[in-house]
Amino acid sequence: MFEKLRGAFSSLAKAVAEKKLSEKDLDDSLYNFQLALMESDVAQNVVESVTGDLKKQLLGMSVERSKDVEEVVKEKLRGEVLSIFSQVGDVDVLARVKESKAKGEPFKILFLGINGTGKTTTVAKFANYMKKSGFSVVIAAGDTHRAGAIEQVTEHANRISAKVVAQRYGADPAAVARDGVLYAKAHHVDVVLIDSAGRMQTNQNLMEEMSKIVRVVTPDLKIFIGDSLAGNDAVSQAELFSKYTGFDGAILTKVDADSKGGAALSITFTTKRPILFLGVGQSYDDLKRFDAKAFADSLVN
Ligand code: GDP
């Protein structure tokens, strides 16, 4: 995972360590670092911010002889990465679900994202995670457009023994979402997971459809699903949903196959919303809580 981004970080640390920190040498090293970040799918605004900050820190740095320069540079890089994640906070999903349950209210989560990003699989993984954490779930099959979407989500749900609420194709997704909530209230189900459609990111109708679901069911949490392999497309999709419906956090999928690693940084920096979980494989247990510290450590070590 993330070999490319890791490579960019370690090359910079090595390059700086081998030279005196003159401005010219530093600029050369940072230029190469910028290129490597771009190749790792780090968005341009993040590249500029990170390298600008680093330059200031490294230029003013006086390294004690006994200290390993490479280690000091790595520490600065680690700090840069952590500062991007620490600015956006976090959402403790389990605590929020517990609070809702204590009030006797179902906790409603709407999943947003473009087709093919792994949304349906992620809804199933999330249902599995909720069940394993001791909560009952119902899935609302809110993608009533894409052929096969209702069968797909139902098949996933059957495999993990989760209930699905669905209507026919062409039905109003907001009505399906509301049915899911009504079912949860009637049967004292703890969590409602609302799958949604994901036609073309530029489709105005899709954004209106998502806004309608939000108005009708007022989700407690809106989660954007981004494909870590989609590069800058994932960032522009995140920006679009952020603008039209807003979201509270993101799940990055297919991280197990991602050799670059820029998506987490870019989406967080651009939308100012935290990454909550990572999809790390195709089975239902392959959903990991995102840990910013572990992510930063893995890049510099
Ligand atoms: P949707 O169109 O967004 O609902 O996408 P799907 O849920 O159908 O997923 C598209 C493909 O991505 C499927 O083949 C999934 O098995 C695969 N997929 C989803 N999440 C992951 C993941 O975390 N890792 C890997 N390797 N594949 C994933």
Side-chain angles (χ1 to χ4, degrees), residues 12-13 36 47 54 75 120 128 136 143 147 189 217 220 230 270 282 292 301:
L12 177 68
V47 173
L54 272 174
E75 206 35 57
T120 312
N128 178 53
S136 51
D143 184 355
V189 173
V217 301
D220 297 289
T270 308
Q282 305 209 38
N301 288 327

Side-chain angles (χ1 to χ4, degrees), residues 115-121 125 146 152 254 256 279-282:
N115 284 343
T117 53
K119 179 151 44 75
T120 312
T121 310
K125 286 179 180 175
R146 183 165 61 92
Q152 192 191 345
K254 309 179 195 174
D256 51 307
V280 292
Q282 305 209 38

